[in-house]
């Protein structure tokens, strides 16, 4: 039976020091910098609030990654507030301590994961965090008679990095306390948020929070709210200030039955105009946006100047004119992912989609055309363009009424795409028993085996083709690769 490892001398020394709060705080003046992380970890775990407050003020590194520590240990509200109070005391001082190096308080839980375990400086990759900045040699002041002393340079603000998720009517206790401190030390404490998710919160509360966030720090924004178009219009000015935004997801924006066409047009224009300022946008996801029909020209063609890497427009109503503008004018020079899932293309000419795919063929890696209602004749017309997508790795087109003959034709057109590894296709029309959408699993198995045989014969046995179609009873998909993964509706009673 193995014996537990004895406690390290360093751990014992830290525990002993923390038992005497006054001694622990006094020792910070002479404590070697490499001992700060383990002592801070012990003080945080033991809820030594006053010691934590003092340690924040004496922190000898440019960054304090508190969020990573909070992820490992269940934080106590009093402990978290003590750390912020220490920072608050520091910022209140007109003359900052000579040892003070803290520039960033990082509250993100997925950043600097290994900082607290690498405190001894044995890993060179951590030196940027562990080593304080090299002090510049001081110059002797020259006295000049009759000259007034130069004004002191403004104190550099401390940045607080946090990922915000707004999903309640009001922010939680920790975020509320942080907001209070930022307001109190306005100009000295900058609240920076790289990732912002908005699920459910009254707009007036959202705006109060955004008014104190450094909006140009936001790089990833998700808005998963059921908003009226007028609410989106109120949010739009904040979006325009997110100058470094890389990724935007917007979902479930609906038109109000009480709004006038003029008011709707004003809100749409106010929103789309913000994209003129988003010069770094790379990924755009639009889901269930009710106002997109006949607006893509103004939205993506006129206002969006930056080339996107990802464009996903899902469950939206588009006109043929929209798709035409998209295919002819969208900057596709860097487009890697294109998704049009849930956009009905049944009654449209296949030419715009064909042109769009062909223009993006040099860079396109992932293509999603699920549930688009694409018919055999339309699909046949886009096959040559698909065959030119040399970088394509994944292609999904479930939920489209496609015959086995067209599937075989697709396989022949794409067999030469060396990067294509996964194709998710609908159950062919021949595999259904009736017009209600009941699958005949035996036929589906035979058709799937036929495609697998063709892949083998054409020298691509490693390419994964598997089918999926929603169950007409419950909506769950039935997958087949190579055996069916069935929903409960197909299971014997």
């Amino acid at each position: 039976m193995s014996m537990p490892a004895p406690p390290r001398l360093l751990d014992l020394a830290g525990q002993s020091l923390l038992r005497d709060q006054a001694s622990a705080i006094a020792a910070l003046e002479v404590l070697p910098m490499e001992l700060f992380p383990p002592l801070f970890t012990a003080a945080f775990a033991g809820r030594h609030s006053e010691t934590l407050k003092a340690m924040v003020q004496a922190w000898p590194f440019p960054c304090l990654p508190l969020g990573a520590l909070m992820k490992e240990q269940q934080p106590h509200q009093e402990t978290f507030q003590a750390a912020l109070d220490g920072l608050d005391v520091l910022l209140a001082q007109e003359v900052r301590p000579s040892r003070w190096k803290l520039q960033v308080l990082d509250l993100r839980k997925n950043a600097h994961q290994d900082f607290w375990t690498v405190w001894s400086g044995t890993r060179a990759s951590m030196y940027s965090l562990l080593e304080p900045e090299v002090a510049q040699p001081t110059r002797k002041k020259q006295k000049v008679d009759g000259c007034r002393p130069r004004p002191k340079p403004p104190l550099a603000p401390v940045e607080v990095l946090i990922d915000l998720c707004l999903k309640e009517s009001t922010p939680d206790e920790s975020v509320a306390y942080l907001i209070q401190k930022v307001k109190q030390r306005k100009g000295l404490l900058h609240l920076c948020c790289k990732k912002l998710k908005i699920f459910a919160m009254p707009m007036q509360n959202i705006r109060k929070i955004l008014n104190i966030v450094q909006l140009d720090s936001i790089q990833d924004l998700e808005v998963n709210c059921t908003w009226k178009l007028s609410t989106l219009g109120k949010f739009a000015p904040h979006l325009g200030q997110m100058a470094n935004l890389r990724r935007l997801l917007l979902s479930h924006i609906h038109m109000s039955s009480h709004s006038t066409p003029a008011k709707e047009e004003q809100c749409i224009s106010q929103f789309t105009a913000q994209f003129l300022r988003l010069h770094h946008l790379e990924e755009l996801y639009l889901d269930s946006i009710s106002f997109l029909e006949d607006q893509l020209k103004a939205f993506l063609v006129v206002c969006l100047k930056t080339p996107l890497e990802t464009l996903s427009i899902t469950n939206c109503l588009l006109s043929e004119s929209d798709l035409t503008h998209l295919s002819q004018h969208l900057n596709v020079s860097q487009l890697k992912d294109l998704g049009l899932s849930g956009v009905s293309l049944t009654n449209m000419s296949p030419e715009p989609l064909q042109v769009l795919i062909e223009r993006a063929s040099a860079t396109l890696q992932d293509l999603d055309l699920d549930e688009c209602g694409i018919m055999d004749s339309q699909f046949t017309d886009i096959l040559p363009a698909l065959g030119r997508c040399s970088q394509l790795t994944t292609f999904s087109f479930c939920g489209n009424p496609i015959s086995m003959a067209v599937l075989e034709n697709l396989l022949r057109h794409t067999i030469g795409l060396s990067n294509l590894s996964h194709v998710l296709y609908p159950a062919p029309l021949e595999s259904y028993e009736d017009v209600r959408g009941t699958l005949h699993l035996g036929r589906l198995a035979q058709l799937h085996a036929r495609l697998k045989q063709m892949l083998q014969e054409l020298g691509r046995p490693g390419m994964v083709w598997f089918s999926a179609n929603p169950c007409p009873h419950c909506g769950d998909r039935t997958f087949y690769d190579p055996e069916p993964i069935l929903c409960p509706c197909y299971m014997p009673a």
Side-chain angles (χ1 to χ4, degrees), residues 78-130:
E78 181 182 349
T79 310
F80 174 73
Q81 291 184 2
L84 290 183
D85 289 343
L87 183 58
D88 187 58
V89 171
L90 197 61
L91 293 172
Q93 301 176 25
E94 293 186 6
V95 179
R96 295 182 174 178
S98 58
R99 194 178 184 183
W100 182 20
K101 300 298 178 184
L102 184 61
Q103 302 168 16
V104 176
L105 175 62
D106 198 335
L107 300 179
R108 298 173 300 169
K109 295 186 178 180
N110 293 319
H112 312 301
Q113 290 290 305
D114 53 355
F115 175 87
W116 299 102
T117 58
V118 188
W119 56 267
S120 62
T122 56
R123 285 172 55 177
S125 61
M126 297 301 293
Y127 280 171
S128 61
L129 282 176
L130 290 172

Side-chain angles (χ1 to χ4, degrees), residues 74-258:
Q74 187 64 32
H76 189 265
Q77 184 62 25
E78 181 182 349
T79 310
F80 174 73
Q81 291 184 2
L84 290 183
D85 289 343
L87 183 58
D88 187 58
V89 171
L90 197 61
L91 293 172
Q93 301 176 25
E94 293 186 6
V95 179
R96 295 182 174 178
S98 58
R99 194 178 184 183
W100 182 20
K101 300 298 178 184
L102 184 61
Q103 302 168 16
V104 176
L105 175 62
D106 198 335
L107 300 179
R108 298 173 300 169
K109 295 186 178 180
N110 293 319
H112 312 301
Q113 290 290 305
D114 53 355
F115 175 87
W116 299 102
T117 58
V118 188
W119 56 267
S120 62
T122 56
R123 285 172 55 177
S125 61
M126 297 301 293
Y127 280 171
S128 61
L129 282 176
L130 290 172
E131 285 191 348
E133 296 178 344
V134 178
Q136 298 297 322
T138 57
R139 297 181 179 178
K140 294 183 178 180
K141 296 181 180 179
Q142 296 180 353
K143 294 183 180 180
V144 180
D145 294 336
C147 291
R148 296 181 180 178
R150 294 181 180 179
K152 294 180 180 179
L155 297 176
V158 173
E159 291 186 353
V160 178
L161 305 184
I162 188 172
D163 291 334
L164 286 175
C165 183
L166 309 181
K167 57 183 178 180
E168 305 292 344
S169 58
T170 56
D172 63 39
E173 189 176 358
S174 297
V175 174
Y177 194 76
L178 173 61
I179 290 173
Q180 176 187 338
K181 292 297 180 184
V182 173
K183 288 180 177 179
Q184 290 174 353
R185 299 299 173 191
K186 188 175 181 179
L188 293 177
L189 200 57
H190 284 182
L191 185 59
C192 299
C193 175
K194 185 176 181 181
K195 294 182 180 180
L196 172 62
K197 295 182 179 181
I198 304 175
F199 288 101
M201 181 175 279
M203 177 52 65
Q204 59 182 7
N205 293 353
I206 293 174
R207 295 172 76 174
K208 288 179 181 178
I209 293 175
L210 293 183
N211 283 336
I212 65 169
V213 171
Q214 303 293 314
L215 294 180
D216 60 355
S217 68
I218 298 176
Q219 298 182 23
D220 189 330
L221 172 64
E222 291 188 12
V223 180
N224 282 294
C225 298
T226 304
W227 278 356
K228 295 179 181 178
L229 182 56
S230 58
T231 306
L232 182 64
K234 296 176 183 177
F235 180 78
H238 298 287
L239 176 64
Q241 296 178 59
M242 300 177 189
N244 292 302
L245 195 65
R246 262 71 173 172
R247 178 179 180 271
L248 171 61
L249 184 151
L250 184 66
S251 69
H252 294 89
I253 307 297
H254 63 276
M255 313 281 271
S256 173
S257 58
H258 305 293

